[in-house]
Amino acid sequence: MQLTTLWSNWILLSAAICISAVSIAVDFLYSKYCNSNATKPISVNYHFTRKCNKTCAFCFHTEKTSYVAPKEDMKRGLHLLKEAGMRKINFAGGEPFLYPRELAMLCRFCKEELGLESVSIISNGTKITQKWMEENGPWVDVLGVSCDSFDEKTNIAIGRGTGENVKQLFRVRDWCRQLGIKFKLNTVVCAHNWQEDMADIVEKLDPFRWKVFQVLYVEGENDSNETDSGLSRRKRDAKELLISEEQFQTFCDKHKHLNCFIAEPNSLMASSYLILDEFLCFLDKGAGVEKQSRSILEVGVQKALSEVRWDQEAFNERGGLYEWTKDVIGDGGTGGSCGSSLVNKESLQCEIKSIVSARHSILIKDRKLEGGEL
């Protein structure tokens, strides 16, 4: 009787162990499967502030709040993004140079502690100083400056007027060359500047990339009525600045001979950027009203990503992957040549294609599971 009982207990124990082992194996394989097919936020634009010293009428990331996350929250969020596959971070606003100490801390953290391939900044240029550049240049790979016109009257109409626009552009360009930082130019084409010829001065500035955007209309950001925008500088009304595809193409045709020229119509721009706001939530500025995910600090990167749309094919088509680390430029990164020294472009494009393919495969499998085919 005792032997029978012991034998029965041994069989039950063995069965329990086997079931536990199988369960662990299934969980491990499922976790590995999910991780291998997870969306990788390769390049993220972190708008850590909405505050700005300019009033560009077409701005689609307006000063709706004055919030800036605590330093430790920003670091934790960036660490989560790095673990999820982020290789490049772009700090934007608002105007990031309104917070020079925070910006310096973020750049250094991303380079020294996270070891990111690229740290980039986009600025209106007015608050950039030689002192900041010399002190923090080692932690910056790319510095982009927004410039929509070389005509001061046009800049005033847009909301960027300073009187020092062109001079400051050349100063920033020179500081970048001295420090080996890649200098980039951004231009928004709108009703005020679509007929302008900017080619000669852009050639002299010699950026490694000149990104030219068609003005984008985003509900909830730059869709205020005239009365609201007149009462508050935080409100924007871009309706009068919108242009047709034909007008955008006219501007593009006038400048496409420049090697650094990269055009982004609304069709490519709208959902192809991974935008993280001041609350560390992803934003979707595509069709319809702007959508906001929950914070990555609350739900993690993958869950937050699933709550917005990121068009990875458009990201690839607009040249979202390029050689973005300053150290690989053949002559030390001091020249522009409009990005002609992109040595790893093909391998980077292959990687994004494989990511898109993986996402496509998992979507098909999910649909089959829902339909009971697997």
Side-chain angles (χ1 to χ4, degrees):
M1 178 66 75
Q2 289 181 344
L3 287 174
T4 302
T5 302
L6 286 172
W7 178 251
S8 298
N9 290 338
W10 184 84
I11 291 176
L12 290 171
L13 179 63
S14 298
I17 292 171
C18 288
I19 291 169
S20 297
V22 169
S23 178
I24 291 170
V26 168
D27 286 344
F28 173 76
L29 291 172
Y30 179 73
S31 174
K32 188 174 180 181
Y33 169 78
C34 289
N35 289 334
S36 66
N37 289 281
T39 300
K40 293 183 180 179
I42 297 171
S43 176
V44 177
N45 297 273
Y46 180 20
H47 296 248
F48 69 89
T49 176
R50 286 179 176 265
K51 187 176 180 181
C52 190
N53 60 326
K54 295 297 172 184
T55 56
C56 303
F58 50 63
C59 181
F60 64 76
H61 196 74
T62 54
E63 197 175 334
K64 296 193 292 187
T65 76
S66 58
Y67 181 78
V68 176
K71 180 174 70 174
E72 292 309 313
D73 282 357
M74 290 194 280
K75 285 185 174 181
R76 186 157 67 93
L78 290 165
H79 194 272
L80 289 172
L81 288 164
K82 164 67 175 179
E83 287 184 331
M86 178 177 70
R87 292 162 51 189
K88 175 183 181 289
I89 186 74
N90 179 51
F91 294 113
E95 174 47 52
F97 278 94
L98 290 177
Y99 296 88
R101 285 180 294 181
E102 287 82 356
L103 181 60
M105 176 274 296
L106 290 168
C107 292
R108 186 162 190 160
F109 175 75
C110 286
K111 267 298 178 184
E112 282 198 335
E113 298 192 40
L114 297 185
L116 294 185
E117 292 176 20
S118 182
V119 172
S120 171
I121 305 168
I122 186 66
S123 164
N124 62 35
T126 58
K127 296 295 182 180
I128 301 174
T129 66
Q130 184 173 8
K131 182 176 184 293
W132 192 97
M133 294 286 287
E134 290 174 347
E135 290 177 351
N136 302 288
W139 328 119
V140 180
D141 294 281
V142 180
L143 178 57
V145 180
S146 298
C147 174
D148 306 311
S149 176
F150 298 125
D151 184 319
E152 183 61 11
K153 290 181 179 178
T154 302
N155 284 320
I156 290 171
I158 289 171
R160 281 200 206 274
T162 64
E164 288 286 322
N165 193 325
V166 177
K167 290 181 181 178
Q168 180 68 353
L169 277 173
F170 278 94
R171 282 194 287 263
V172 174
R173 190 279 312 269
D174 290 344
W175 297 333
C176 285
R177 287 188 174 182
Q178 292 163 14
L179 297 165
I181 296 170
K182 293 184 173 186
F183 175 70
K184 184 177 75 167
L185 205 61
N186 279 8
T187 296
V188 176
V189 183
C190 65
H192 291 308
N193 64 353
W194 69 273
Q195 298 182 81
E196 184 172 345
D197 188 343
M198 300 175 68
D200 288 346
I201 297 181
V202 170
E203 271 194 296
K204 291 174 184 175
L205 285 166
D206 192 25
F208 92 106
R209 299 185 105 206
W210 179 27
K211 298 188 75 173
V212 174
F213 308 97
Q214 181 181 359
V215 60
L216 184 66
Y217 187 69
V218 179
E219 292 183 40
E221 290 283 4
N222 57 13
D223 62 342
S224 298
N225 59 47
E226 187 176 349
T227 302
D228 287 342
S229 56
L231 291 172
S232 173
R233 68 184 298 273
R234 297 183 180 184
K235 303 286 186 177
R236 296 290 187 274
D237 180 12
K239 289 187 285 291
E240 297 300 319
L241 299 182
L242 299 179
I243 57 173
S244 65
E245 291 183 7
E246 290 75 17
Q247 288 171 319
F248 181 67
Q249 190 59 50
T250 297
F251 185 93
C252 293
D253 290 342
K254 197 177 294 184
H255 299 91
K256 64 184 180 182
H257 63 283
L258 298 174
N259 290 333
C260 55
F261 180 82
I262 301 169
E264 290 194 21
N266 289 167
S267 58
L268 281 182
M269 183 184 176
S271 294
S272 66
Y273 284 84
L274 271 182
I275 297 175
L276 196 71
D277 72 6
E278 67 274 24
F279 299 105
L280 293 109
C281 304
F282 287 114
L283 298 179
D284 181 353
K285 295 180 181 285
V289 179
E290 178 181 74
K291 302 175 186 68
Q292 181 187 48
S293 76
R294 285 173 290 177
S295 171
I296 62 174
L297 301 181
E298 176 190 348
V299 299
V301 174
Q302 290 302 318
K303 184 64 177 176
L305 277 172
S306 72
E307 296 174 352
V308 296
R309 178 174 178 260
W310 177 36
D311 189 338
Q312 294 184 65
E313 292 185 9
F315 170 77
N316 187 38
E317 187 178 344
R318 68 170 173 79
L321 287 168
Y322 58 93
E323 190 45 70
W324 49 41
T325 306
K326 63 184 178 185
D327 296 336
V328 300
I329 294 292
D331 61 358
T334 56
S337 300
C338 298
S340 60
S341 55
L342 306 187
V343 295
N344 291 326
K345 185 176 180 182
E346 289 186 5
S347 62
L348 289 169
Q349 287 180 334
C350 286
E351 180 168 338
I352 193 66
K353 285 178 182 177
S354 69
I355 293 169
V356 172
S357 177
R359 288 196 75 196
H360 181 66
S361 297
I362 194 171
L363 283 171
I364 290 173
K365 289 177 181 177
D366 286 345
R367 286 169 186 161
K368 287 182 178 179
L369 281 168
E370 289 171 3
E373 295 181 29
L374 290 178

